[in-house]
Amino acid sequence: MRPFLSAMIVLMFAMTGGALADRPKENVEADASTRQVAITSSFTGTEILVFGTVENSVQPSPEAGTYDIIVVVEGQPVPAVVRQKSRVAGIWINTSSMHFAVVPSYYAIASTRPIDEIADKAFLDAHQIGFDHIRMVPSGASDADAAATETFRQALIRLKEQQRVYVKRDFGVTFIGRSLFRSTIALPPNVPVGPLTARVYLLKEGKLLGQYESRVGLRREGIERFIHNFAISQPLAYGLTTVLLAVAAGLAAAFAFRKPA
Amino acid sequence: MTLYLPIAEMSVSVIAFLALGATVGFLSGLFGVGGGFLLAPLLTFLGIPPGVAVATSTSHVAASSVSGAMSQYRRGNVDIKLASVMLAGGVAGSYVGVAFVKMLTVRGLFELTVSLTYVIFLGVVGTIILIEGINSSRKTRTAGSASVRKPGQHGWMEHLPFKMRFPRSKLYISAVPPVVIGTFVGFISAIMGIGGGFVMIPAMIYLLRVPTVLVIGTSLFQIVFVSATATVLHAVENQTVDIVLATILIVGGVFGAQFGTMAGEKIRGEHLRVLLGALILLVAARMAVDLAIKPGDLFSLASTPGAF
């Protein structure tokens, strides 16, 4: 009887996955505060709140640091060209360039602590978490050596950071309860228009426990939408309208200010 | 108060750009120029993408030259026939210019080309205007102003074909030089975002020998149409005309221009030319310095597909 019981216990452990057999597995649920960001004529940038909860949290307190959360908000994949100037006959000219087939138009990352402390390179690469782990493949001339590619890639990241469309906040995610966490993501005034994807990763000791994905629309609304569509879909009429406006304004001013004859 | 620009895709201060439009308008009214040569570099300086700056600046030139053209026309100071011949070249020239902008942009050479053309043209024209202004202000102190016009003498131009009669200007010349001048002005107008008066006026005086009284009116008349054409072409080919930015600049500009004209009437012509020459040289020098000094960042980014 005794050997049989032991075998049963061993089997139970094996089936439920170890020591914490009776506790359900952790997972993450998250969402963004806004599903639709409108770019109107008064748009000066905005913030979105990404929040969520760790299901079945065993974290004793918000500060305990049992779990790590990484929030990535990413824009549309777009082509990009990075150019490098050098001195030719005394003036600075764009002499070399590298084309990247796709890079995120916008990329914000926030985490509970620096990402290289949270997970290893293989994981970050696989999920494209962090500026250095975004897949950026040069298009066209494939003969460029790795060092040059890396230089241009670093320049792209640096320039995008300067434009505030690549943003990183190492301690940008905070737990406000045993399971509830939040993070604010800044969208600058020059944020590229197009839908955003928000990804949330839950990790513990470098192991992925769960992930969640949500979409945030980012589009022009109202008069901005009208003007932009007009300029793109009917460029001739748009150009003529601009000219008419200019000519009418010039004539109106001349009429208003004309000298009494 | 800020406003989001639909084409430049950025949020700007309305007050700052109204003030910019008014300042440029004031100077263009003061000197009787379109002001594009100041506006396009200043817009770039304030962070507007160079393509948008140039294209939007052409619409501002149309607005600021139309009232001048209108009053010159009413006074009968426009040679319509000559203007039309030059305009034929102007439209062709601006078409080529806009296509050229598109080609340069794809290759990442647009900013450089704009800077170089500015440095060269403004440098030459500024120097000429400055010297001429200084000389004539010296001359008026000693004697009366000398006439540059020697009627009926065109030298080598006599031998060109397609002779046409321009009764208003009392000219019987080949149509080739006006068309060539028009084409050239249309071309640089599209690239630099200017009206091109500072090239056209000397060309009309010294090459075509158009009577001085008709030069300004005919030039303005042609600038209105060339800048209008360039605006439409930029909108169609490059989608770089920002109507919201244009409106802000034009509103500031038309008011500024009226006050500039009033101020200009109080200053002697020669002094105005010296000031204008100095201003043009200043812009040229600024752009030359920017080309020569090592940029803070050797790398630049062009992420908008198709554009810059």
Side-chain angles (χ1 to χ4, degrees):
Chain A
M1 206 61 192
R2 270 186 73 94
F4 179 72
L5 251 177
S6 321
M8 279 291 285
I9 291 166
V10 168
L11 195 66
M12 268 175 68
F13 268 104
M15 280 168 74
T16 49
L20 305 166
D22 56 338
R23 218 187 59 239
K25 206 169 169 285
E26 296 105 323
N27 205 343
V28 63
E29 281 187 333
D31 201 4
S33 57
T34 325
R35 285 293 177 83
Q36 191 70 43
V37 176
I39 294 190
T40 62
S41 56
S42 58
F43 183 75
T44 54
T46 189
E47 271 187 349
I48 54 173
L49 173 70
V50 176
F51 61 94
T53 179
V54 179
E55 287 174 47
N56 309 315
S57 170
V58 294
Q59 187 167 240
S61 75
E63 298 80 24
T66 313
Y67 302 109
D68 282 307
I69 300 286
I70 303 173
V71 175
V72 174
V73 178
E74 206 174 339
Q76 291 294 292
V78 291
V81 184
V82 183
R83 300 186 200 280
Q84 186 181 16
K85 285 192 176 68
S86 62
R87 193 168 213 154
V88 179
I91 58 172
W92 291 89
I93 296 177
N94 286 330
T95 45
S96 52
S97 65
M98 186 164 284
H99 293 244
F100 292 95
V102 283
V103 303
S105 60
Y106 172 83
Y107 191 99
I109 179 165
S111 46
T112 43
R113 55 190 171 124
I115 48 165
D116 46 357
E117 292 174 18
I118 296 176
D120 57 10
K121 186 176 177 300
F123 175 81
L124 298 175
D125 280 342
H127 293 271
Q128 301 197 56
I129 298 171
F131 298 154
D132 294 332
H133 307 279
I134 303 172
R135 231 166 277 140
M136 293 182 191
V137 184
S139 58
S142 53
D143 54 327
D145 61 277
T149 307
E150 189 53 28
T151 311
F152 277 99
R153 186 194 147 92
Q154 289 301 328
L156 182 138
I157 292 168
R158 186 179 71 243
L159 291 162
K160 288 271 197 185
E161 279 189 282
Q162 277 166 18
Q163 295 175 0
R164 295 180 22 227
V165 291
Y166 278 21
V167 208
K168 180 173 77 173
R169 285 171 66 215
D170 279 343
F171 297 94
V173 180
T174 40
F175 272 97
I176 46 175
R178 285 178 55 245
S179 60
L180 190 63
F181 63 88
R182 55 170 282 159
S183 173
T184 50
I185 303 287
L187 299 178
N190 56 329
V191 62
V193 181
L196 304 171
T197 311
R199 306 189 321 247
V200 178
Y201 299 90
L202 168 68
L203 293 100
K204 187 181 171 188
E205 289 155 8
K207 296 277 174 294
L208 182 68
L209 296 180
Q211 71 184 78
Y212 200 90
E213 194 169 308
S214 163
R215 296 205 135 229
V216 177
L218 180 67
R219 54 179 229 171
R220 297 179 174 85
E221 292 289 344
I223 187 89
E224 289 307 304
R225 186 175 174 77
F226 174 77
I227 294 175
H228 190 265
N229 285 349
F230 187 29
I232 300 300
S233 62
Q234 291 171 335
L236 181 64
Y238 173 82
L240 288 171
T241 307
T242 312
V243 167
L244 273 181
L245 194 96
V247 169
L251 288 178
F255 182 76
F257 282 86
R258 83 188 149 168
K259 282 197 187 129
Chain B
M1 184 189 165
T2 61
L3 209 55
Y4 185 84
L5 301 177
I7 302 298
E9 299 200 333
M10 55 191 284
S11 175
V12 297
S13 155
V14 176
I15 304 297
F17 282 82
L18 269 180
L20 175 66
T23 310
V24 172
F26 180 84
L27 292 170
S28 70
L30 183 67
F31 298 122
V33 295
F37 76 94
L38 286 171
L39 188 57
L42 283 171
L43 286 175
T44 314
F45 187 69
L46 287 172
I48 304 290
V52 178
V54 164
T56 307
S57 153
T58 55
S59 67
H60 184 267
V61 171
S64 64
S65 47
V66 73
S67 59
M70 203 61 197
S71 68
Q72 294 283 350
Y73 177 75
R74 266 196 235 111
R75 278 180 245 156
N77 293 345
V78 179
D79 186 334
I80 301 279
K81 191 174 175 189
L82 181 60
S84 311
V85 170
M86 289 201 295
L87 192 57
V91 171
S94 64
Y95 188 80
V96 176
V98 169
F100 196 55
V101 168
K102 194 174 193 172
M103 192 201 85
L104 290 172
T105 305
V106 174
R107 284 168 177 70
L109 295 171
F110 177 56
E111 281 168 73
L112 172 75
T113 312
V114 171
S115 301
L116 277 180
T117 42
Y118 264 86
V119 169
I120 294 166
F121 279 105
L122 298 187
V124 170
V125 172
T127 311
I128 293 173
I129 294 176
L130 190 65
I131 290 170
E132 199 263 340
I134 292 169
N135 282 345
S136 60
S137 63
R138 278 210 199 109
K139 255 180 231 155
T140 40
R141 226 173 287 148
T142 51
S145 67
S147 168
V148 288
R149 179 167 146 82
K150 295 174 191 122
Q153 288 196 341
H154 286 102
W156 54 272
M157 276 173 48
E158 303 271 311
H159 307 292
L160 291 171
F162 309 113
K163 286 218 172 188
M164 274 178 95
R165 219 168 270 285
F166 298 99
R168 187 73 195 81
S169 302
K170 299 193 182 67
L171 286 175
Y172 179 59
I173 53 166
S174 160
V176 175
V179 169
V180 169
I181 292 169
T183 308
F184 183 68
V185 170
F187 180 73
I188 61 165
S189 168
I191 290 181
M192 299 168 73
I194 58 171
F198 67 82
V199 173
M200 196 154 35
I201 291 174
M204 286 167 80
I205 294 176
Y206 298 108
L207 290 177
L208 305 182
R209 311 232 181 250
V210 175
T212 321
V213 66
L214 295 177
V215 166
I216 304 278
T218 308
S219 152
L220 274 174
F221 193 82
Q222 127 108 9
I223 286 173
V224 171
F225 287 96
V226 167
S227 55
T229 310
T231 306
V232 173
L233 289 174
H234 273 301
V236 172
E237 290 294 320
N238 301 330
Q239 270 105 44
T240 42
V241 176
D242 197 307
I243 199 169
V244 175
L245 178 61
T247 307
I248 301 172
L249 293 172
I250 288 166
V251 168
V254 293
F255 282 100
Q258 302 302 325
F259 292 106
T261 312
M262 288 178 210
E265 283 161 3
K266 296 193 179 76
I267 306 176
R268 286 241 313 272
E270 301 81 29
H271 293 171
L272 274 180
R273 264 173 284 166
V274 173
L275 285 174
L276 176 62
L279 185 66
I280 291 176
L281 281 182
L282 203 68
V283 176
R286 170 67 215 257
M287 300 198 98
V289 167
D290 283 350
L291 279 176
I293 59 167
K294 188 177 182 177
D297 196 334
L298 291 180
F299 290 92
S300 61
L301 189 61
S303 54
T304 318
F308 10 86

